[in-house]
Amino acid sequence: MRKRFVFLILATAVLMLAGCKDSARQRAAENGQDATEFFDAESAAAAQKTKAAAESGERDASDSKSNAPKGITQYELPAPLKGKPEQILKREAYTVSYNKTTRNPNWVAWHLTKSHTYGRISRDKEIFTEDTSVGTPRATDNDYYTSRYDRGHMCPAGDNKWSNTAMTESFLFTNVCPQNHGLNKYEWNDLEMLCRDWAREYGSVDIVCGPIYYGQGDQKTIGKNKVWVPDAFFKVVLCRKGASKAIGFIYRNEGRKQRMEDAVCTVDEVERLTGIDFFPSLKDDVEERVEAEATISKW
């Protein structure tokens, strides 16, 4: 009885396979191909689709960096730093270059897509969290108590409403710097919203931001862990749709009103101040051109 049952299963499988082949031959005949050519054509089409996705440099909204198609270039990532501590931390939505001396990021970089500017994930239940992936001493919530500085996001919570994990990771202290309350509430927030507008308009933008220290005398710190207080903050933005363009911004870490027009600068200027090489994955001639220009009216 058991042998008969196995035989029936095998026979059914053979018939199903034959049916698939007949269907393929029929579809091939309709297209003027034989069955072998048909299967080859389908495989080639699938491979071409995968290649096109990789070469586009775009990530689907549901993809994290870890499961994005192979071959994608992360244009937002700066070149490795020279002469200062750097620990690279990969998150779902962004990448951090962490500095163990300042207890702050050197930079935070992310590829912001149009779809990532929307989402239903709320920040209301999130809390700022010590990042145990870096060594001690490191920034903690206690360092900010009575410091009169905000816990200023580099990659903002507003860019991470599309994912629970992304939202939670945006509250790690390795994505945070001591930031003047006025700057955090007004000018820096305005710039974050503008970047989201650009991502919606152009489909995506590449962003890098972080602290600036001018190095005049002893650096001001907060808390038991001596977290460095930046003198200013930078943000550089790259748009690769059409003719590529880039723009930079520098805001002083203070509460006095600062006009966005006065904060605009070239990426080259930010590189000179920070020693960071931005957008090294661009072709050299494109990188040279876009980093020397900064005209906000062209955005």
Side-chain angles (χ1 to χ4, degrees), residues 137-296:
R138 56 180 174 246
T140 70
D141 215 31
N142 287 333
D143 292 314
Y144 283 82
Y145 287 154
T146 71
S147 72
R148 297 187 179 181
Y149 285 94
D150 284 6
R151 296 160 294 189
H153 283 84
M154 295 295 95
C155 180
D159 288 5
N160 292 285
K161 294 179 179 180
W162 52 277
S163 161
N164 279 302
T165 299
M167 177 62 75
T168 297
E169 289 180 341
S170 75
F171 280 81
L172 290 169
F173 274 111
T174 44
N175 181 47
V176 169
C177 290
Q179 194 167 52
N180 178 278
H181 174 71
L183 174 62
N184 187 29
K185 184 177 181 180
Y186 297 109
E187 288 90 347
W188 197 250
N189 183 58
D190 290 344
L191 183 55
E192 290 172 346
M193 291 191 292
L194 180 60
C195 288
R196 285 193 281 275
D197 288 342
W198 286 339
R200 291 165 188 152
E201 180 178 354
Y202 299 115
S204 67
V205 289
D206 300 298
I207 306 171
V208 193
C209 73
I212 296 175
Y213 311 98
Y214 292 125
Q216 297 177 355
D218 293 333
Q219 191 67 37
K220 182 177 180 179
T221 65
I222 60 170
K224 179 181 177 180
N225 294 300
K226 298 187 182 303
V227 181
W228 287 29
V229 177
D231 297 306
F233 290 93
F234 73 84
K235 180 167 284 188
V236 294
V237 186
L238 170 68
C239 172
R240 291 181 283 113
K241 182 177 181 180
S244 296
K245 57 187 176 183
I247 193 169
F249 299 87
I250 295 175
Y251 282 98
R252 300 181 305 277
N253 193 17
E254 58 185 43
R256 286 184 293 177
K257 184 174 177 58
Q258 302 174 67
R259 297 195 317 153
M260 182 174 288
E261 293 81 0
D262 296 333
V264 170
C265 61
T266 66
V267 176
D268 281 339
E269 290 177 83
V270 181
E271 288 185 334
R272 285 192 289 271
L273 279 173
T274 63
I276 301 172
D277 179 8
F278 299 104
F279 312 129
S281 294
L282 291 173
K283 292 182 178 179
D284 289 344
D285 59 331
V286 175
E287 182 183 3
E288 183 177 348
R289 175 179 60 79
V290 302
E291 291 186 353
E293 301 174 355
T295 307
I296 197 167

Side-chain angles (χ1 to χ4, degrees), residues 83-95:
K84 65 177 65 175
E86 177 173 55
Q87 179 182 351
I88 300 298
L89 305 169
K90 297 283 187 178
R91 308 302 186 200
E92 181 170 28
Y94 62 88
T95 304

Side-chain angles (χ1 to χ4, degrees), residues 125-137:
K125 295 182 180 179
E126 299 293 340
I127 59 173
F128 288 94
T129 306
E130 184 177 349
D131 193 339
T132 57
S133 63
V134 301
T136 56

Side-chain angles (χ1 to χ4, degrees), residues 39-72:
F39 286 124
D40 288 346
E42 288 230 312
S43 298
Q48 184 63 31
K49 185 177 181 180
T50 300
K51 181 180 179 182
E55 290 178 347
S56 71
E58 300 292 330
R59 283 182 286 273
D60 183 81
S62 63
D63 286 338
S64 68
K65 291 181 185 298
S66 60
N67 62 14
K70 291 181 179 179
I72 284 183

